[in-house]
């Protein structure tokens, strides 16, 4: 069992980018951090661009409407170039080309994470129509979308201004949109008459989990989350505190308490469900996957002798009763203060355990007539293929608490 580090893996051969861990507007991580992506240093062309994607810094562009298709042919700023060593980390947030590099580096990073979980390259789902993904870092629009052959980002800030609310500087938003592409590429697209409301909810949930697990590849985010919670990711009050103080959007979304009783009836026809309802429908599944992540983390703590098995069992009671167990919580905090690095390793391992199981699940699931019950079954099958019966009960329990039953 070992977690992988993309930075370590690509430090000698890869290309350096500076990426924000969270939106620069969130203030938790005000400075962008240096990461290494898999592209060999010196191989990226101006844009940045490579064989599968290219950034176009469009000027005065209107966002694409339903019928619009790439390529964009209007005015654009010249593509940003590497430094003489073949990297992009010489750019700082005040440089005009920073947004373009940030967008490319973030998407490449998400692909590196998930290609590792899937064990090979993940081609775009639109590859028969377009060879390369067109990436537009900024249009004056309060939204972001991933369409057929393009990815285009607006902002949550003032109209007409590329400021720290620009979505192309927000790793969560970039990774979430990329998550939609990964689901299309790996799970597939159902025929129109076999599209279900649950497929739409599953898409949103999967994209949130892609964003969460990808963000957990920033060591600084792992350290931050563990420090804030003092190692106790399960006690409900601690989780809420992370949500409140961290402004870490993906964690706030993932650590929700919604069950299938809180969302729309899944028999509602898919075309009738609003975007808001579909996002809400994703939440019980996202919450279950988050709980599984925390359970796997705790199992790693127990395996390392950092906490007792009794503690792990007690913290499940916390989850179901909502009552924090102070003795268990104090024991865990004391252990964290003695060995913070072992807690870091445990969370990284749990992250990769969940990532690998999701990759298998998505590979094996049928997009036609998809239901959460089938997703649950395929997740259990994927887990069983990897580690037999070891984690089956915990996964079933986490799903059942959300009222997702195995079909
Ligand atoms: Zn989405």
């Amino acid at each position: 069992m070992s977690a992988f580090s993309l930075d370590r893996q690509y430090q000698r051969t890869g290309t350096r980018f500076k990426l924000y861990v969270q939106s620069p507007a969130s203030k938790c991580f005000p400075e962008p951090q240096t990461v290494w992506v898999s592209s060999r240093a010196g191989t990226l062309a101006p844009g940045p661009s490579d064989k599968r994607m290219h950034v176009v810094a469009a000027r005065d562009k209107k966002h694409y409407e339903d019928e619009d298709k790439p390529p964009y042919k209007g005015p654009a700023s010249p593509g940003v170039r590497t430094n003489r060593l073949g990297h992009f980390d010489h750019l700082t947030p005040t440089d005009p080309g920073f947004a373009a590099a940030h967008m490319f580096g973030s998407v490449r990073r998400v692909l590196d994470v998930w290609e590792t979980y899937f064990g090979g390259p993940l081609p775009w789902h639109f590859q028969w129509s377009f060879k390369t993904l067109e990436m537009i870092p900024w249009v004056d629009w309060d939204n972001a979308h991933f369409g057929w052959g393009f990815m285009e980002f607006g902002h949550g800030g003032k109209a007409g201004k590329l400021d720290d609310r620009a979505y192309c500087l927000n790793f969560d938003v970039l990774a979430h949109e990329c998550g939609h592409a990964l689901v299309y590429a790996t799970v597939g697209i159902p025929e129109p008459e076999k599209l279900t409301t649950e497929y739409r909810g599953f898409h949103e949930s999967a994209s949130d989990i892609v964003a969460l697990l990808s963000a957990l590849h920033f060591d600084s985010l792992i350290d931050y989350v563990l420090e804030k919670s003092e190692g106790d990711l399960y006690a409900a009050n601690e989780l809420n505190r992370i949500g409140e103080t961290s402004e870490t959007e993906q964690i706030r979304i993932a650590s929700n308490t919604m069950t299938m009783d809180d969302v729309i009836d899944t028999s509602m026809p898919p075309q009738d469900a609003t975007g808001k309802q579909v996002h809400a429908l994703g939440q019980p599944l996202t919450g279950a996957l988050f709980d599984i992540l925390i359970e796997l983390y705790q199992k790693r703590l127990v395996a390392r002798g950092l906490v007792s098995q009794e503690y792990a069992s007690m913290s499940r009671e916390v989850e179901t009763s909502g009552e924090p167990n102070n003795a268990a919580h104090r024991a865990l905090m004391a252990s964290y203060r003695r060995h913070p690095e072992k807690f870091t390793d445990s969370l990284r391992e749990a992250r990769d355990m969940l990532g690998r199981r999701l990759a298998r699940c998505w590979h094996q699931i049928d997009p036609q007539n998809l239901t959460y019950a089938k997703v649950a079954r395929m997740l259990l099958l994927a887990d069983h293929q990897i580690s037999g019966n070891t984690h089956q009960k915990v996964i079933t329990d986490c799903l059942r608490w959300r009222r997702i039953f195995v079909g």
Side-chain angles (χ1 to χ4, degrees), residues 70-95:
Y72 169 73
K73 296 202 178 97
S77 305
V80 64
R81 291 173 176 275
T82 63
N83 63 15
R84 66 188 169 78
L85 298 172
H87 300 289
F88 284 96
D89 62 333
H90 59 296
L91 298 164
T92 65
T94 51
D95 287 318

Side-chain angles (χ1 to χ4, degrees), residues 176-177 180 204 207 279:
H176 177 99
E177 291 305 320
H180 282 300
E204 289 308 332
S207 301
H279 277 95

